[in-house]
């Protein structure tokens, strides 16, 4: 991910997956697609792991983790918490293909931030962010909010999607307000995704349920469902 260019040469147009200069993951390591990033590709929780246990580039992985944490603060809206699908390395929205708004990729940003806090608790801002984005979606109608928005919070669709419900539930790993349980319950009460969008919605739904068990264990809460009970 750091050294691909060393092996194939710059003339190929194929770049490193993570830039040496910016220490940020690129949208795609291919020509112009390597000139911007996708905020939902930033995974500081894993970069921190690799900084501790990789066999090389440990300091670089640490720098990438810290850079991603700082990047989230610049690319998410300070009022709504919403971030864009695509962004410049500065954090500003990149509207390539109309992806400068909060659309399907951006659903995963809240997940990436909250998991990083749950694993490492390095950046207290991540708690503020999780409260902020859950406040926005609660206000937007917790059981009916749209799946696409402008970064300032204007609805761009009328659909309500299981994948976004799942990612907003994972934000509860870092949230501090009791409203977080509303989002956890929304995930639990979802039907298994089916139909045309079942791949993406379904994968995020499954990922959300894996974290759901962690949320319960982390907080000591137990399921009320008599069939599935997780003890404190």
């Amino acid at each position: 991910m750091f050294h691909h260019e060393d092996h194939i040469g710059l003339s190929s147009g194929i770049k490193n997956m993570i830039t040496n200069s910016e220490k940020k993951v690129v949208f795609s390591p291919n020509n112009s697609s390597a000139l911007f990033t996708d905020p939902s590709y930033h995974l500081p929780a894993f970069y921190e792991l690799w900084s501790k246990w990789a066999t090389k580039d440990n300091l670089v992985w640490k720098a990438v983790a810290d850079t991603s944490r700082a990047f989230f603060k610049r690319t998410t809206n300070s009022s709504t918490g919403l971030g864009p699908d695509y962004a410049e390395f500065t954090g500003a929205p990149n509207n390539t293909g109309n992806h400068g708004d909060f659309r399907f990729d951006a659903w995963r940003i809240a997940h990436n931030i909250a998991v990083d806090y749950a694993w490492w608790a390095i950046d207290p801002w991540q708690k503020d962010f999780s409260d902020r984005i859950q406040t926005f979606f609660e206000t937007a109608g917790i059981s009916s909010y749209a799946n696409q928005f402008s970064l300032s919070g204007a609805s761009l669709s009328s659909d309500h999607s299981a994948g976004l419900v799942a990612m907003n539930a994972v934000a509860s790993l870092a949230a501090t307000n009791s409203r977080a349980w509303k989002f956890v319950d929304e995930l639990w009460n979802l039907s298994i995704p089916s139909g045309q969008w079942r791949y993406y919605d379904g994968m995020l739904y499954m990922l959300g349920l894996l974290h759901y068990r962690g949320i319960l264990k982390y907080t000591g809460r137990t399921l009320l469902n008599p069939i599935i009970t997780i003890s404190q």
Side-chain angles (χ1 to χ4, degrees):
M1 297 177 78
F2 297 132
H3 305 293
H4 200 60
E5 293 174 6
D6 300 338
H7 299 290
I8 63 173
L10 296 176
S11 62
S12 68
I14 305 301
K15 309 295 184 182
N16 291 338
M17 194 62 173
I18 294 177
T19 66
N20 291 323
S21 57
E22 295 284 345
K23 299 295 186 291
K24 296 185 182 79
V25 62
V26 301
F27 173 66
S28 171
N30 184 24
N31 294 302
S32 61
S33 294
L35 300 178
F36 62 96
T37 186
D38 182 319
S40 74
Y41 292 0
H42 290 249
L43 296 163
F46 291 94
Y47 306 153
E48 190 74 25
L49 280 174
W50 299 333
S51 76
K52 297 180 181 299
W53 293 298
T55 57
K56 63 179 180 179
D57 294 319
N58 302 71
L59 293 178
V60 183
W61 280 120
K62 178 60 178 173
V64 175
D66 291 339
T67 297
S68 286
R69 292 177 184 123
F71 172 77
F72 283 138
K73 297 175 185 177
R74 296 194 299 272
T75 203
T76 56
N77 185 277
S78 60
S79 297
T80 64
L82 301 174
D85 267 10
Y86 301 167
E88 308 295 344
F89 293 131
T90 61
N94 179 304
N95 205 41
T96 299
N98 205 30
H99 285 280
D101 295 306
F102 178 88
R103 299 190 188 275
F104 307 109
D105 274 17
W107 296 354
R108 302 177 299 218
I109 296 173
H111 165 280
N112 297 355
I113 291 172
V115 170
D116 185 45
Y117 185 80
W119 288 9
W120 303 109
I122 289 174
D123 187 355
W125 173 88
Q126 295 171 331
K127 295 189 291 183
D128 297 334
F129 164 84
S130 298
D131 288 339
R132 181 179 305 124
I133 200 165
Q134 288 191 337
T135 297
F136 171 78
F137 280 110
E138 181 183 43
T139 302
I142 194 166
S143 297
S144 60
Y145 52 74
N147 61 13
Q148 299 173 78
F149 292 88
S150 70
L151 300 189
S152 61
S155 174
L156 301 176
S157 74
S158 59
D159 295 331
H160 184 66
S161 295
L164 180 55
V165 172
M167 297 297 92
N168 286 339
V170 176
S172 299
L173 283 169
T176 66
N177 189 285
S178 61
R179 79 168 66 83
W181 286 114
K182 297 179 182 179
F183 290 88
V184 173
D185 290 338
E186 285 294 312
L187 171 59
W188 181 250
N189 292 326
L190 280 178
S191 299
I192 297 174
S194 61
Q196 183 178 3
W197 310 117
R198 66 189 180 276
Y199 165 72
Y200 188 54
D201 277 325
M203 292 299 292
L204 297 186
Y205 170 79
M206 181 176 69
L207 181 61
L209 287 180
L210 290 171
H211 287 298
Y212 183 95
R213 189 209 184 283
I215 293 169
L216 297 179
K217 186 173 182 179
Y218 183 66
T219 60
R221 185 179 178 183
T222 59
L223 286 174
L224 299 179
N225 188 324
I227 299 175
I228 305 174
T229 302
I230 298 172
S231 67
Q232 296 182 14

